[in-house]
Amino acid sequence: MDRSAPFHEERRWWMNVLAESEPSDLETLWDRYGEKPDYQVVQGPESGLIKVQARIGGKGRRFHVGEITVTRCKVLIPGSAVGTAMVLGCRPRHAEIAAVLDAALQDKRRRSHLLESVVRPLERRLREARRREAARVAATQVNFSTLVRGE
């Protein structure tokens, strides 16, 4: 993440990392984090459905694809900030930890330590998982132009 990026872009980045991370990875790094802030749950965690829409080829009229389950949570660190999170699936603990981290990351005094000890390690794990998945998929691809016809 570019350190000169505006705050809202940086927040979008860390929220994507927290939401997309494996719940077990997030839980492990959260458990290792020493000075956990006191917080109050304002809303949730609660699970529900969101309608998903798409367009053929990214153009044209939207159509209804189906629904996905999400879990959302909102917390307050008294005297500091409100943190929110929404994660795919029915994962109340994941959403709660992500919301607390969102609130804590808004505090400039905590931000650099949390970024280095939680967010960047999660980002590295996500990048590695995506690389492994891309390699796995690439191994199954067929190049049809190299197939020989039965001539």
Side-chain angles (χ1 to χ4, degrees), residues 64-81:
H64 179 74
V65 176
E67 290 87 23
I68 58 171
T69 304
V70 296
T71 305
R72 67 181 178 180
C73 187
K74 183 186 288 187
V75 302
L76 169 68
I77 296 178
S80 185

Side-chain angles (χ1 to χ4, degrees), residues 76-123:
L76 169 68
I77 296 178
S80 185
V82 173
T84 60
M86 185 177 292
V87 299
L88 287 177
C90 185
R91 298 179 171 158
R93 183 73 176 142
H94 185 169
E96 186 173 338
I97 293 171
V100 174
L101 285 167
D102 177 45
L105 282 158
Q106 293 176 57
D107 182 347
K108 289 181 181 181
R109 294 170 290 146
R110 292 183 174 138
R111 187 177 306 144
S112 63
H113 183 255
L114 278 169
L115 288 174
E116 294 306 318
S117 63
V118 178
V119 179
R120 286 198 172 86
L122 288 171
E123 182 183 41

Side-chain angles (χ1 to χ4, degrees), residues 3 12 20 42 55 63 70 75 83 96 112 132 134 142-143:
R3 294 192 187 271
R12 184 179 308 129
E20 293 177 20
V42 176
R55 299 173 194 251
F63 62 93
V70 296
V75 302
E96 186 173 338
S112 63
R132 282 192 311 268
V142 176
N143 185 347

Side-chain angles (χ1 to χ4, degrees), residues 54-63:
R55 299 173 194 251
I56 299 293
K59 298 180 181 183
R61 294 181 56 181
R62 285 189 242 172
F63 62 93

